[in-house]
Structure formats: structure tokens, C-alpha cells
Amino acid sequence: MSGGLEGKVAIVTGAARHRGIGRAIAVRLAEDGADVVAVGSPRPPESFPEAERAIGWKGATGVAGEIEALGRRGMAIDADLSKKEEAERIVSETIARFGRIDILVNNAGLAYCGERNLWEIDDKEWYDVVDVNLNGVYLLTSRVMRHMVPAGHGGRIINISSSAGRMGAPQYGAYCATKWGIIGLTQMLAIEAAPHRITVNAVAPGSVDTDMMDATFGNMATRFGADAAAMKGLVLRVTPLGRQGRPDEIAAAVAYFASADADWVTGQTLNVNGGNPMN
Ligand code: NAD
């Protein structure tokens, strides 16, 4: 059972994509009772994917509206998570509006996957991915904890890793390294945060049906001279449950870690991946 988040305030990063995991997490936490800050990246509407433009999607503002429609308080913030000042702004705007932070979900991620070997990528690509997937998580988590620890009410930090953080994944460059790093950060911080009744856990999704994964299949197809559907078929063949995951299935795992049911769970990484891999 999950739920029971009434009166709690959650920040969810990477929550602005219509098909994204972050939107599903933000909506699920609101369904479970939380007020939610949906953090998106600054991107002009004309850069939205065709499917988002076709439905007049409004990014983080749209997600905040969905949260309000559920009877919770919602707020949208567009911010570049690789920048220290932006992390500090997210915290100060959340505190100004809601007065507290109980849950942080570090979901935003950047991927250049499926295309090139490590020695073929640009240095910029490596640094950009580390800046969002690892430095960005450090910046926002540290700033949130500077409020959460002295507030003394405990809390939850939930990080989104990946199957690529569980095993070496070719042509995943910095993405693979950062997603392994997230698991180490989760374990380290879980020990530091425990005396403050703050738990720190991670979810490692397998292949989930989002824009990011579509792009990865497209990149793999280019590399191997096949089509994206064939690449997807290859991945599903080695997935025991034989299908991609849905964003709401990742959100359910996050909701568990956020709930009172997980009071005695910290430092863990839960695979939500159809059985591939199993450790
Ligand atoms: P997505 O591309 O839809 O979402 C990623 C989000 O991160 C986007 O909203 C994007 O705007 C945001 N982001 C990127 N750079 C940013 C920056 N500098 N500042 C602020 N925000 C920034 O992808 P998704 O599939 O929903 O992925 C969500 C998370 O799940 C990511 O951490 C991803 O690595 C992880 N994941 C996804 C899959 C999958 O199959 N889709 C598998 C394993 C892990």
C-alpha cells in the first residue's frame, strides 16, 4: 500500500515531458496526497517534440495543472539543473510557496545513448551528461538537505538510476557511468542522512516507453544499420516479461519509497525492469 502523503511537499525533477517518467511520478505523488513542485528544463515550446506540440502541451506548467486538478497544490519551475544558482532557486521558491520540503525525486536525466563508443564521443557530450545526471543531483540534493536536516521532520530522497547503472552497457558513454554513480551516491548518503530520519533510495528502470528510449532505439538503429523497431525487439527478447515498462510503473516504485511503508528501507536500489537484469 502507498499513499498517506497529505501535508508533504515533493520536488520532482525532469517532470515536464508529456510521455516522461517524471510527469508520472509527480502525478502519482499528488494522487497519494503530496503537494508537488514539477521541475522542467527551460525549453522553448517550438523545441517540443511534434506529439507534444500537436496537443498544445505546456511542459511543467501542464503537470502543475494536473496536480491542482487532483486537489493538491502544484507549482512549475523551469530550471537548468546543471547550474548551482538554479538548484538554489528551486529550493528557495519551494520554501517561499510551501514552507517545507519532505520528498526530493531526482528524475531528470540526459542521455546520448546507443550511437558511439567512448573514444568516438565529443568531450562536451561527456561533460554535459555528467553535469545533469550526477553534478545536478549533487547540487539539488545538497541544497534540499540544507533545509531538510535542520527542519528535523525527516524526509525522502529518491534517485532515478537505470539498468545501465547495474551493468556495463555499450555505447552508453557517460550515461552508464553516471547511473552507476547514482547508486554509490544513494548508498553513501543513506548512511549520512539516517540519523536525521531521511531515507535515500533509488529506482533502476529498464527500458520504459518514453521519448528518451525512442531516441535510444533510433540511435542504435543508425549505428547498426537496422530499424528502430528491430532494435526494440532485440531488447524485449532478453527481457523475461517481454515488454517495455510504463512510466506509471516506475512512479509506483517511487511512491513506495516515499510512503510510510518504506520507513525502514534506505540505501536500496530497486530494479523495475521486467527482469532484465536481475542484479
Ligand atoms: P525524458 O527525456 O522524457 O525525461 C528527462 C527529463 O530530464 C526531461 O524532462 C528533461 O527536460 C530533463 N532534463 C534534462 N536535462 C536537464 C537540465 N539540464 N535541467 C533540467 N532538466 C533537465 O526521459 P525519461 O525516459 O522520462 O527519463 C527519466 C529518468 O529515467 C532519467 O533519469 C532517465 O535516465 C531514467 N531512465 C529512463 C529509462 C527509459 O527507458 N526511459 C530507463 C532507465 C532510466
Side-chain angles (χ1 to χ4, degrees):
M1 191 204 81
S2 299
L5 300 183
E6 291 78 10
K8 309 275 189 206
V9 174
I11 297 174
V12 182
T13 68
R17 285 283 167 93
H18 185 254
R19 291 177 66 211
I21 292 170
R23 174 190 173 208
I25 294 170
V27 168
R28 173 61 193 262
L29 294 181
E31 285 170 349
D32 286 357
D35 298 320
V36 181
V37 177
V39 180
S41 60
R43 50 179 188 136
E46 57 274 16
S47 72
F48 287 17
E50 177 54 38
E52 288 186 355
R53 275 184 283 148
I55 57 166
W57 180 241
K58 302 225 163 7
T61 309
V63 176
E66 292 182 299
I67 290 154
E68 298 269 341
L70 289 165
R72 309 295 168 197
R73 295 180 298 170
M75 180 163 78
I77 300 178
D78 283 330
D80 181 348
L81 293 164
S82 66
K83 301 206 160 39
K84 182 172 72 168
E85 331 58 85
E86 296 279 81
E88 288 167 356
R89 183 169 64 83
I90 292 167
V91 172
S92 62
E93 289 186 12
T94 303
I95 294 295
R97 168 91 191 272
F98 297 125
R100 57 188 291 148
I101 303 168
D102 300 278
I103 300 160
L104 169 64
V105 185
N106 288 305
N107 166 75
L110 189 59
Y112 296 104
C113 297
E115 209 172 4
R116 281 163 291 155
N117 295 314
L118 186 74
W119 59 91
E120 296 163 336
I121 65 173
D122 296 332
D123 291 347
K124 182 177 182 317
E125 186 175 305
W126 176 273
Y127 286 107
D128 284 353
V129 172
V130 174
D131 265 350
V132 175
N133 294 9
L134 210 46
N135 294 340
V137 172
Y138 155 70
L139 287 170
L140 186 57
T141 303
S142 59
R143 272 57 181 180
V144 163
M145 289 190 73
R146 287 173 196 176
H147 276 273
M148 210 182 247
V149 170
H153 50 53
R156 300 283 201 255
I157 310 291
I158 302 159
N159 299 319
I160 304 300
S161 177
S162 169
S163 293
R166 292 296 210 179
M167 58 185 182
Q171 291 92 46
Y172 267 59
Y175 184 84
C176 190
T178 56
K179 293 299 184 179
W180 277 76
I182 283 294
I183 294 174
L185 175 70
T186 298
Q187 293 189 7
M188 181 284 296
L189 191 60
I191 301 167
E192 293 183 356
H196 306 286
R197 291 186 302 115
I198 298 168
T199 66
V200 187
N201 291 289
V203 178
S207 177
V208 179
D209 186 17
T210 69
D211 290 338
M212 180 188 280
M213 202 60 224
D214 284 355
T216 299
F217 287 135
N219 291 342
M220 289 165 73
T222 305
R223 179 175 179 85
F224 296 109
D227 64 29
M231 294 293 112
K232 187 168 164 178
L234 274 179
V235 170
L236 298 188
R237 216 172 299 155
V238 294
T239 302
L241 289 176
R243 66 168 172 86
Q244 278 193 295
R246 301 184 311 268
D248 65 280
E249 293 174 312
I250 308 306
V254 171
Y256 165 68
F257 283 132
S259 75
D261 288 346
D263 270 356
W264 201 50
V265 179
T266 199
Q268 305 303 309
T269 299
L270 177 63
N271 294 337
V272 182
N273 62 11
N276 173 35
M278 292 193 182
N279 51 27

